Amino acid sequence: MPRYLIVHPRDQKRDDVLVEGENLELFFTAGWAVLSDANGICLAIPSGQGASIQRVDVQEPAPQEE
């Protein structure tokens, strides 16, 4: 399941946001970063806001050898 962490600049005093979901996609259009899924747009962030977006997938642990 894709997960994206949105981190805002410290001077904006906004909380960081973790967005996750099935079929979640990130794309960029006309100065906006847009997260959408099968139901439509989930979140749109203007590029001038200075937020950074990081994909943070959960990795499955490696199988243990016996």
Side-chain angles (χ1 to χ4, degrees):
M1 175 183 319
R3 298 166 46 163
Y4 293 93
L5 177 63
I6 293 93
V7 179
H8 299 282
R10 298 272 178 231
D11 62 340
Q12 290 184 5
K13 298 181 181 172
R14 292 181 177 210
D15 291 333
D16 298 340
V17 177
L18 182 64
V19 180
E20 61 185 329
E22 289 296 317
N23 306 320
L24 190 62
E25 295 183 14
L26 171 65
F27 65 94
F28 301 92
T29 182
W32 290 80
V34 180
L35 288 162
S36 66
D37 63 11
N39 295 318
I41 294 174
C42 303
L43 179 68
I45 303 169
S47 61
Q49 186 172 329
S52 67
I53 302 171
Q54 303 169 18
R55 186 170 173 155
V56 288
D57 294 335
V58 176
Q59 295 185 3
E60 297 294 324
Q64 299 292 324
E65 291 186 27
E66 293 182 26

